[in-house]
Amino acid sequence: MQQIINGIDKLSDILQEVGCRKLFLVIDSSYPFLNIKDAIEALPVEDKVKFSDFTPNPLYEQVCNGIELLKSSQCDTILAVGGGSAIDVAKCIKLAILAKEGNAAIIPPLVSQRLPIDGAKIPFIAIPTTAGTGSESTHNAVMYYEGAKQTVTNDGVLPDYAVLEPSVLKTLPLYQKKCTMMDALCQGIESWWSVNSTEESYEYSRKTVELIMANWRKYIFDNDDEAAAQMMLAANYGGRAINITQTTAAHAMSYKITSLYGLPHGHAVAVCLPEIWQYMMSHMNLCKDSRGASYLSAVFGDISRAMGCQTIAETISSFRQMMAEMELEKPVSSDFDADIRLLANSVNQVRLKNNPVELDSQGINTIYTIIVRNNQYE
C-alpha cells in the first residue's frame, strides 16, 4: 500500500525507515533549480548516485544506461525527483532490475504483460515537481522503443512513497504550469467516464476536478501558495484515478498532435477533450459502457456539476473558455488535408478501448478536423 506523505521534511525519516545506505537519485533538468535541492543533497545516507541522462520523452537506450548504472553502483533505494518523465524512467529501471526477464521486460512483446516482480526488494520514493501526471501514484510508465511509444505497466513499480511538496511549483514556468494542470484535469474527467470506472475511482476523479476548478485561476494567475498545494493534491488524485481506470480517447488522440505540432502532452490532450466530449454527446447511441447510455449521461452530469455548470453543453463551453483564457490555442495546420490523414491514421485503436462511446475511423477524422480547423475556441 502506497503512503502519501506531505512535505519534504519527512524524507529523512522515510530513508531511515527503509534502511537506505546508497541512494539512486533519478532527476531531470529542473533539479539544479529546485528549492528542495539542498535538502536532498543533505540527506543522511552513505552515498548518492545521480542519473539524469534522459530526454523529456525517454528512450529505451537511455533507460538501459540507468539500469546499468544502478546495477554497477549497487544502490539499495530509488528516489525519483522531477516531472512524469523522471518518475517513469525510475519505474522502468526498477522493473528491468527486478524482473527475471531483465531489460526485455520493458519492450515488446513482454511490456504488455504483468511480469512477476517483488517490488519490496528496492524501496522506491517519488517526489513530483509538477502538478500534472500523477505518475507518483500510478503503476504505469511511458518510454519510447524504436520510435514507438510504449506503456510499461506493472504493480511492482508503484512508488512505495509519494512525497508531495507544493513549494516546488512556485518557480515552475507558467506555460508548464498550464499544460500540466490541464493534463491533471483531463485525467480526472477521463477516469470519471472511463468504462473501467469504480466507486473508488469516482471519488478520486471528483476530488481532482473539484480541486482544480476551485483553485486554477489563483494557481495560474496569482501563483498562490495554497492554490499550489491544492493543485498538487488534485494531480495526485488524478493519478490515483487513472491508476484504476486508465485514460480514454483524449489521451489516445493527443500523441500525434504532440509529435506533429510540438504541443506538450497536457496541452495536446486538452485540445482534444472538449471536441471528443461534444462528439460523444451527439453519438450516445454508440455507447459501449456495459452500464448503458443513461448511466453515461448521468456521469456526464456529475462531471458538469463538479465543474460548476448546469448542463453538459455549458460544461464543454466552460472548458473551451478556460483554454482560451490561458491562451492554450489549438494547433494550426499548414497542410490541412495531409495532416488530417496523418492524424487519423495514427490512433492506436487499442488505446480507445476504455472510451465509453465507440469511435470509428470516420468519427476520429471528424474530431481531428474540428481540432485543427482553426485555433479559435467556439
Side-chain angles (χ1 to χ4, degrees), residues 179 250 253-255 257-258 263-273 371:
C179 293
M253 294 182 66
S254 73
Y255 301 122
I257 288 177
T258 289
L263 295 188
H265 172 68
H267 188 166
V269 174
V271 300
C272 294
L273 188 137
I371 291 171

Side-chain angles (χ1 to χ4, degrees), residues 7-9 11 25 27-28 30-43 48 79-82 126-130 163-171 232:
I8 189 71
D9 56 311
L11 186 54
L25 189 56
I27 53 178
D28 61 22
S30 70
Y31 180 75
F33 312 103
L34 294 176
N35 64 326
I36 60 173
K37 175 179 176 288
D38 290 345
I40 293 171
E41 295 293 327
L43 288 170
K48 303 181 193 73
L79 172 61
V81 182
I127 304 178
T129 57
T130 65
V163 179
L164 306 184
E165 177 51 63
S167 67
V168 299
L169 302 175
K170 193 73 175 176
T171 56
M232 182 70 83

